[in-house]
Every structure is written in C-alpha cells, then in structure tokens.
Amino acid sequence: MTDQTYKPTVLVVDDEPQILASIHALLEDDFDVVVSTDAMEAVELLKNTQIAVILADQRMPNLTGGEFLSKARELCDATRILITGYVDIDALIRAVNDGQIHSYVPKPWEPANLKVTVLKAATYAKEISQRKKAAEIVAEQQEALARSEAAYREQTKILRSVLDSMGDGVLVTDDSGKMVLLNPAVEQMLGRSAAGTHQSEWAERYGIYVPGTDTLYPNDKLPLARAMRGETADGIELYVRNQHKPDGMLVSVNVRPLKDDSGETKGGVAVVRDITLAKYSEDILRQAKEEAERANRAKSEFLSRMSHELRTPLNSILGFAQLLALADLAAQHQSNVQQILKGGYHLLELINEVLDLARVEAGRLSLSPEPVLISDAVKEALDLVRPIASAQNIMLSADFFAYADRYVHADRQRLKQVLLNLLSNAIKFNRSNGMVVLRCEQVLNGRLRIEIADTGSGIDDEGLKKIFTPFERLAADRNAIGGTGLGLALSKRMVEAMGGTIGVESTVGVGSRFYFELSLVEQAVEPRMDRDFHSGLMALGQAASYQGTILYIEDNISNIRLIEQILARYPGVRLLEAMRGKLGLELANTHRPDWILLDLHLPDMGGEEVLRTLRQDQRTQEIPVSVLSADATPSQANRLKAAGAREYLTKPLDVRQIIALLEKTLQRERPENQPGASGPSFPEQHGHQPDAALRWAPETVTLTGLPAELLQQLRSAVRDGEKDRLDELIATVANQDPQSGRALKNLADRYEYDTLSNLLSEVAQ
Ligand code: ADP
C-alpha cells in the first residue's frame, strides 16, 4: 500500500452523536474515521484495531475522556487528543502532567484547528510507530548478534579443544609472519614463547635443520614461509633440535596459505607431524629388507658358485667319458665308460634339481610362459623317453592328437621337464612288459589335463601323502631304481608356478595315474630357432669336411683338452686358445675366427667384459660367440644373450651339442679340398695341436726369463699344493716380472694348480 492511498485511522469518542458526525465529516477525507459514543466500547475496539489518533471528549457519562485515554495509553501507541472546555481546565492539566495526552482541543473547537491538530497527531503517530519499528529491528539485530557471538564462542571452544587435543602441531601466522595461533603440540616442540620470533630467525630460534645434516634450514625456504608467499606444500621433512627437544625429532610439515575473501594471502597455516618413530621403524624395516636381500643375493651367489664348482669337474668327467664312449673300446671298457656316464649324469641331474628346488624355494625360479604347442612338448618328451621304455620292454602309447594343434600357457622348458619326470617315473616304476599311456583331455575352466598312467606296482595311501615332498623316495623303490626323490617335488612347484595343478591317483598292484592341468590358450607362436640343434647332428665320421677357425677363450685346461679332442675329428678346423680374456681379444682381432667359444671365469677379466668388448669392436662384432659357463642360472643366461652371445651353453659340455653348433657355424669344405688330413688353408697347423705360444701368451707371461731354480721351486710348491709357499714364490716372480707375477697369482688364488703345473712344465720344455 502506497502513501497516497494509505489513510491513518482516527478513533473519535464522544457521547454526543451530532458531534461525532460533524468530526467524521471533517476528517473523513484524510482519515479512516471510527466513532464511538461509549468509552467502554471504544476500549474494546482499541484491543483489535490499529488506531493512529484517538480523539476523546472529556465529558462522557461512564468514563471521563482523561480516564479513557489513560486506559488507551496502556493498550496502544495512538496519539491521544482530549477535547475539553474551559471548565475542565484542571482535568486537562492533570492529563497533560500525567502524560495521558499528547495534545488537546478546546471547546468550542474550530474545525480547521481540530483538523490541523489531528493531522499533526497522525504525523507524530507515524513517527512514533516508525521509531518503534526501528527499535524493534535494532533489538532483533542485537539478539541475532548475541546469538551468533554465542555460536562463535562455542565454535572457538570446540576448535580450541580439537587443537589442544591434537598430536600434530598446528601453527598459524599472519602476513607479517607473526604467529597468531600455536596449539600445545607445537608449543611442546618450540616452546611457549614461540609466538614472538620474526620469520627471518625461525630456524636459529627453534633449531630447525635440514634432515641428516647440521645445516640450519634456510628461513626463506621453511614451509611456513613458503605458505605465506601463497605456496602449498605437503610432506616437507625438517629436523628439529632445541632445548625442548634436545634429542631431536624429525617432522613432516604440510602448509597452506591463509587467504582472505578476496583470495589475497594473509598468512600461512602449518600442520607439523612428528615422524621420528615412523621413520625409525621404516629405517629398521628397510635395513631388515636390505639384510634379507643381501642374504638372498649371498644365497644366489652361493648357488651360482656351487653350480660352477660342481659342474666344472663334471664337465671333464662327462666330456671325456662321452669321447671315450665314441671310441672303439673293448666291451668291458665300454660298459665301464657307460657306468661313468650314468653316474655322471645322475650327479648332474641331482645338481640341476637341487639348484632348481633351491631357486623355487627362494622364489627365483624364472619362467618364460608362452603359448606352447601341445604336440611339440609331448612329442619331444616321448622321443626322449622312448629308448628307455623300449629298453625295459614297456609299451608307450599316447593319445593327444585331438589337442595336437592346441596351445597351453606354459614355460616350454619346464613343461618338458614335468612331462619327462612323469613319463620316466611311469617307465621306471613299471613292471616289465607293462604299459604307459599318455592322454590329453579338456577339463573345466578352459584347462587341459595331461594324464600319464602306468601299470606299475602303484602307491599306497601313506606313499601318496608324501609323494610330492622333496627327497621322498618310497621305501620299496629306494634301493632298486635310480632317482633323486626330487622330480615330483619339483614338478609340483613348476606346474604351480605355471598356474596349474598336479595330482595323482593310484591303486596298489594295478598302477598309478599322474596328471597335471594347464590353461589352454589360443595364440600361435613362431617356432623356436634353436629347436633343431640336436636333430641336425652329423655322423661323427663325416666331420672332416668342415673348415674354419675357432677361438676358445678358457682357462681350465681340462676343458681345453676336451675341445681339442672333439676338434681332432675336424682337420680343417684350426683351434686358437687363450687362457686369458685380454689375449682372447687380441687373437680375435688378429685372426678374425669364425666362431668364438667363451668361458666366463677368466683370470684377468670377466668373460662378460670380453663379450662386450668383442661386440663393440667393428672387427669382431659379427663373429658368433657361444658362452660356456658352469653357472646355469637363467638370469645370467638371459643377460649374456642380451649382451650379444649367440648361445649360452652350460657346463658340463654336451659333446653332441658342441658338434652340432660347430657344423651350424663353420663352412663345409668344397669337394676338391676334402681329401687329405688337414684343410688347405692351414697346412702347417693341425687343428687339434694348439700353438703353445698362443696359449700361454709369452709376450705377457714370460716365465722363460726366470731363474731355473725359482721355476723348480714353483713346480714343487704347485705339486705339493703348498699355497703359502707358492704365494711367497709368486711374490718373488712379481718382483722380477710384475705382469707374470699377477697372472700366476690369479691362477694360484683360484687354486688352478692344473693350469699352473702345465704352464710351468711348458716353460721347462
Ligand atoms: P625319483 O623318481 O627321482 O625317485 P620322484 O620325486 O620323481 O623322485 O619320485 C619320488 C618317489 O615317488 C619315487 O622314488 C617313487 O618311490 C615314487 N613314484 C614316483 N612315480 C611313481 C610311479 N609312477 N609309480 C610308483 N611310484 C612312483
């Protein structure tokens, strides 16, 4: 409603209706006029009507005007006007004094005068009402303010108790760097008086250092200083050492800038966490982990060394026995040689299995899972066991053709190993004229079950319980049949490592059924390059037609002799020998051999380094290198292949494999060159008679210059295995010829007495 239409209400009370009518007529243009002839009735009306001005006659029958207005004053804020004659002057004075009226109109009243008085009174009433409203608003606002102050006090109290109870320190600075809030946790770190220090002195004052040093933290780089520049940072580590923390503490600090509503940085907040203990436990844990890793490395090292130490002598045993077996021996001797081979291979199997098991146990069995063609793996394994089966009159039957072109997810080598273990057990523990049946079958979850059943004596329940435990050979078989008791334990671990399962069912007197399951996969793979090494073997009698130069870098004389003997069958092949890496590199550069056989353990430098040098040198980088090592760990093999070795052959050397590689690598002579004992290119050098000068590298190991007596003493010290005496003599050699001294010391330190003895006897010749 606007001011033009709004009309204040005037209540006129008089017992004379004519007067009421005339006042109504006088005021109705400007006011809503309400009239009443009865003061008591008018009192009631005031209770529920908004009245701006009350006009009351003094003389009325029930209540006087003064009395009525006095009541009206209690009921509303209307401006009160008394209409009174001269005779009522006393009542008027009383009414004015008592504050009952704001104004009065004398009788007889002038209409204009009355109207002006009422208008003024209405304005006054309006002002009063506005003032009252304003006062109400102010009161409301004050109340709201009081309420929000109370809420704020409550919030502050909660916040304070949170900050007080927090283990993390909290500190807040304003934009001048003054600390405006520190909780008790911070006070415990920095002291109660911490608030008073200027930012440029924080590090000195509170003892804040760069962790792990005695250097004070640069003040401008302190996290809180950065927050005051608007930066946010988390996990900043500081070291605090001061009178409150004399033992020092490591803290991690998170900071945020403190911003006002306009986004301007007005200070910084830091939350400081004591991480001393956490860091300490982390350190302990790390140390324990490092210790465990060191121990694990030591174990691997031990495995590798053991593998080397055991395989090196085995290499000679098996290599020479293989050569002997190829010779034309009397039946008795042939059978002796076969015994040596059998024992040797058994030992080799044992070493391999112990190493494998140790690797599995150490979690280091390295697998290269790939899709493996079932027929490949099964056929290869069957081919290998067929001779043993027929020797024992066991019929081998296989039904895998429905799955022949399917693939399983497996490590090719390990899958073959498992198949061989199970097949050879089924043959070994069979009865004579028995049967072994291999079957394939797809089972649930896209898996293939390969089952090998035999007609052997079966395994009882006790036996079945422990059959997959290492070294567990069931009593009945212990003496009769060869074995290590490791095959099944290893097979189980390998199958499981390939994500499969293995099991057995057996009936005593009927036979056993071993099975394992692997996932079938769809993907086809390229055939492997090295698969045909063995299949391409030439008959040894045809060996003569190959020609070329082979460099053999090896410091073990037995191994050298073995290769020499193999090559004795290849008159067209020249063998260069080097017992040290450096000499090997020189020979490779000058003679550019067709094939390099490289041992890894050399006295002067590692074979791996030799390999890398060969690969880096333009003159030698194309020459195929086959690494020979007693270390059968797959990681080492992979590393050397990655470094450029064409093959990684593990000792003991497989004579047939060496021959296959030789024939793969070297060229065959043209027919016109074939007759004759030696190849035309090196008529003066017989392939298997290595040049001693080349072998001993006289330009560096010039033992010929040494006094005969010293040489003699060296020989006897070597013969008697007197290490201390040998060391003394080598020290004397080193005085006269440091290079030879070093070479001898290298050999002596590795207890290569064989080599030393050969070296010393060659000088004597
Ligand atoms: P190994 O064959 O070298 O002794 P394995 O771990 O392969 O070691 O086998 C452990 C033992 O389980 C064997 O010595 C033999 O007693 C028993 N065994 C394994 N396969 C069969 C089988 N097919 N039939 C009967 N007994 C078996």
Side-chain angles (χ1 to χ4, degrees):
M1 200 184 279
T2 63
D3 272 357
Q4 282 93 8
T5 55
Y6 172 70
K7 288 181 179 176
T9 309
V10 177
L11 168 65
V12 190
V13 187
D14 199 318
D15 55 337
E16 288 185 40
Q18 309 94 293
I19 293 179
L20 285 179
S22 63
I23 292 178
H24 189 284
L26 180 68
L27 298 178
E28 69 182 345
D29 286 348
D30 300 296
F31 299 96
D32 275 344
V33 183
V34 181
V35 295
S36 172
T37 51
D38 181 348
M40 295 307 284
E41 178 198 270
V43 168
E44 287 306 309
L45 200 130
L46 281 176
K47 288 182 185 164
N48 39 38
T49 312
Q50 187 72 35
I51 303 293
V53 181
I54 305 170
L55 213 55
D57 185 27
Q58 170 63 11
R59 286 178 177 257
M60 288 189 292
N62 296 332
L63 285 175
T64 66
E67 286 164 348
F68 165 68
L69 292 176
S70 173
K71 280 195 186 302
R73 183 185 177 193
E74 287 163 16
L75 291 170
C76 69
D77 296 325
T79 311
R80 300 173 297 278
I81 303 171
L82 190 65
I83 303 173
T84 171
Y86 183 68
V87 286
D88 297 317
I89 189 74
D90 289 340
L92 176 65
I93 289 168
R94 226 176 14 255
V96 170
N97 285 343
D98 291 350
Q100 288 161 352
I101 61 168
H102 296 93
S103 180
Y104 77 98
V105 177
K107 275 185 182 170
W109 39 267
E110 267 290 313
N113 190 17
L114 178 83
K115 191 167 180 179
V116 168
T117 304
V118 174
L119 281 169
K120 273 191 193 161
T123 310
Y124 179 70
K126 193 174 171 192
E127 272 172 22
I128 291 288
S129 140
Q130 278 172 348
R131 239 181 273 156
K132 203 175 158 196
K133 257 196 201 126
E136 274 169 13
I137 290 171
V138 169
E140 259 172 38
Q141 282 177 342
Q142 276 175 342
E143 208 178 305
L145 190 65
R147 269 200 308 274
S148 78
E149 271 177 0
Y152 171 73
R153 274 196 301 277
E154 184 63 18
Q155 291 278 1
T156 311
K157 219 166 96 187
I158 294 173
L159 194 65
R160 195 70 240 182
S161 57
V162 169
L163 288 172
D164 288 356
S165 60
M166 264 174 84
D168 288 353
V170 177
L171 57 151
V172 180
T173 61
D174 64 13
D175 52 356
S176 71
K178 186 170 160 241
M179 296 207 187
V180 289
L181 187 149
L182 291 100
N183 75 342
V186 163
E187 285 179 350
Q188 276 175 18
M189 294 176 205
L190 309 180
R192 279 188 168 277
S193 56
T197 307
H198 189 261
Q199 184 212 325
S200 61
E201 294 165 1
W202 282 347
E204 294 86 332
R205 170 73 176 75
Y206 307 132
I208 306 173
Y209 297 86
V210 177
T213 70
D214 283 334
T215 314
L216 282 170
Y217 214 95
N219 280 306
D220 60 332
K221 297 217 169 70
L222 280 168
L224 198 50
R226 289 170 54 188
M228 285 164 54
R229 295 197 296 265
E231 289 179 42
T232 289
D234 286 327
I236 312 271
E237 292 187 3
L238 310 174
Y239 185 71
V240 178
R241 193 180 58 236
N242 54 36
Q243 60 191 49
H244 309 284
K245 292 284 168 191
D247 295 335
M249 69 191 292
L250 194 66
V251 295
S252 167
V253 185
N254 293 359
V255 290
R256 298 285 179 277
L258 199 65
K259 297 197 171 172
D260 65 11
D261 290 345
S262 64
E264 206 175 315
T265 302
K266 286 288 175 200
V269 187
V271 177
V272 185
R273 171 162 295 183
D274 181 352
I275 55 166
T276 317
L277 255 180
K279 202 78 182 172
Y280 179 67
S281 340
E282 207 177 275
D283 279 354
I284 299 251
L285 212 70
R286 204 195 52 247
Q287 275 170 16
K289 189 164 167 265
E290 279 171 8
E291 190 53 45
E293 280 168 0
R294 233 193 327 274
N296 204 26
R297 272 199 301 278
K299 190 173 169 183
S300 307
E301 176 80 357
F302 170 74
L303 282 178
S304 159
R305 287 192 74 83
M306 184 178 110
S307 145
H308 182 257
E309 297 306 328
L310 295 178
R311 279 161 192 264
T312 303
L314 249 190
N315 190 32
S316 306
I317 297 171
L318 286 174
F320 285 107
Q322 286 178 79
L323 278 177
L324 270 181
L326 294 172
D328 191 11
L329 296 178
Q332 176 60 41
H333 290 155
Q334 188 60 258
S335 136
N336 293 348
V337 170
Q338 290 309 324
Q339 285 302 324
I340 297 174
L341 278 173
K342 203 170 142 203
Y345 279 118
H346 179 72
L347 193 56
L348 181 60
E349 186 190 354
L350 199 61
I351 294 169
N352 287 341
E353 289 186 345
V354 167
L355 284 176
D356 269 348
L357 199 69
R359 267 187 221 124
V360 180
E361 235 100 84
R364 291 197 313 114
L365 182 77
S366 78
L367 292 176
S368 316
E370 58 180 327
V372 181
L373 190 63
I374 292 160
S375 59
D376 267 6
V378 172
K379 269 192 218 152
E380 245 177 277
L382 286 173
D383 284 349
L384 284 169
V385 295
R386 200 161 275 124
I388 328 171
S390 69
Q392 295 187 30
N393 245 352
I394 307 264
M395 198 174 121
L396 255 186
S397 129
D399 175 11
F400 62 94
F401 303 103
Y403 298 94
D405 57 352
R406 304 286 305 274
Y407 292 81
V408 278
H409 180 73
D411 176 299
R412 181 185 301 275
Q413 206 52 39
R414 301 304 184 185
L415 171 59
K416 221 170 75 185
Q417 215 172 326
V418 173
L419 280 167
L420 279 176
N421 273 334
L422 299 184
L423 282 169
S424 63
N425 278 349
I427 296 166
K428 260 195 313 190
F429 302 109
N430 220 312
R431 60 178 160 79
S432 59
N433 300 319
M435 256 186 93
V436 172
V437 181
L438 181 147
R439 285 183 58 241
C440 289
E441 182 192 359
Q442 181 160 359
V443 290
L444 287 179
N445 301 327
R447 288 180 159 239
L448 181 81
R449 173 187 283 227
I450 301 179
E451 189 180 279
I452 291 151
D454 62 54
T455 52
S457 54
I459 307 158
D460 60 17
D461 287 350
E462 264 318 292
L464 286 177
K465 274 186 209 150
K466 47 191 186 181
I467 198 148
F468 290 107
T469 313
F471 298 107
E472 206 51 73
R473 307 196 61 221
L474 307 183
D477 306 306
R478 227 170 261 158
N479 299 321
I481 306 164
T484 61
L486 283 170
L488 286 177
L490 254 181
S491 299
K492 178 169 159 62
R493 284 160 172 78
M494 283 173 190
V495 169
E496 284 168 359
M498 292 188 280
T501 49
I502 190 166
V504 58
E505 290 159 7
S506 187
T507 311
V508 177
V510 177
S512 308
R513 186 186 300 270
F514 283 84
Y515 56 84
F516 62 98
E517 292 176 11
L518 293 171
S519 295
L520 279 161
V521 281
E522 294 305 326
Q523 185 195 343
V525 280
E526 290 288 304
R528 272 161 53 111
M529 295 298 292
D530 59 351
R531 192 99 48 77
D532 296 331
F533 280 178
H534 293 276
S535 56
L537 280 184
M538 274 195 66
L540 286 168
Q542 295 170 5
S545 57
Y546 286 87
Q547 66 170 9
T549 304
I550 298 175
L551 169 62
Y552 187 22
I553 310 177
E554 163 72 90
D555 65 337
N556 184 301
I557 199 72
S558 317
N559 291 341
I560 295 176
R561 295 275 179 263
L562 179 61
I563 295 290
E564 282 171 5
Q565 296 231 11
I566 295 172
L567 295 186
R569 295 167 178 278
Y570 295 85
V573 176
R574 175 171 68 150
L575 178 67
L576 304 177
E577 295 166 10
M579 296 188 75
R580 292 172 307 112
K582 198 157 165 284
L583 177 63
L585 287 172
E586 283 166 20
L587 292 181
N589 282 335
T590 43
H591 293 266
R592 312 275 180 92
D594 301 295
W595 184 26
I596 298 176
L597 285 164
L598 173 63
D599 176 45
L600 287 188
H601 291 264
L602 298 168
D604 59 338
M605 63 197 283
E608 194 165 342
E609 195 189 336
V610 174
L611 176 65
R612 288 185 200 282
T613 316
L614 286 170
R615 290 294 82 130
Q616 275 158 19
D617 193 324
Q618 248 184 345
R619 291 168 297 181
T620 54
Q621 63 188 188
E622 298 299 329
I623 303 174
V625 177
S626 304
V627 166
L628 303 175
S629 170
D631 184 345
T633 49
S635 56
Q636 162 126 317
N638 292 338
R639 202 177 60 244
L640 281 141
K641 280 192 179 166
R646 192 184 66 180
E647 287 92 21
Y648 184 93
L649 311 176
T650 50
K651 294 176 182 174
L653 295 183
D654 179 338
V655 174
R656 293 169 71 81
Q657 189 183 20
I658 294 286
I659 290 169
L661 284 174
L662 179 147
E663 293 178 357
K664 167 182 161 178
T665 312
L666 300 191
Q667 297 209 336
R668 298 194 73 167
E669 270 180 359
R670 285 193 304 276
E672 62 271 24
N673 290 335
Q674 274 192 0
S678 53
S681 32
F682 352 92
E684 75 291 355
Q685 266 191 350
H686 205 256
H688 62 282
Q689 292 288 323
D691 181 347
L694 287 178
R695 200 179 331 134
W696 304 124
E699 72 277 17
T700 49
V701 189
T702 48
L703 297 184
T704 37
L706 294 174
E709 194 189 347
L710 182 56
L711 282 170
Q712 189 49 46
Q713 287 171 333
L714 279 165
R715 271 183 221 116
S716 59
V718 170
R719 190 189 55 234
D720 302 338
E722 287 180 23
K723 179 76 164 74
D724 290 347
R725 172 134 184 71
L726 188 60
D727 286 346
E728 276 172 31
L729 293 166
I730 291 176
T732 316
V733 174
N735 280 337
Q736 299 178 21
D737 174 0
Q739 211 164 12
S740 302
R742 256 198 318 277
L744 291 179
K745 187 168 179 334
N746 265 329
L747 291 170
D749 286 348
R750 302 180 65 223
Y751 295 92
E752 297 279 1
Y753 288 177
D754 252 10
T755 314
L756 276 170
S757 164
N758 282 318
L759 183 55
L760 293 163
S761 56
E762 300 242 346
V763 182
Q765 285 157 14

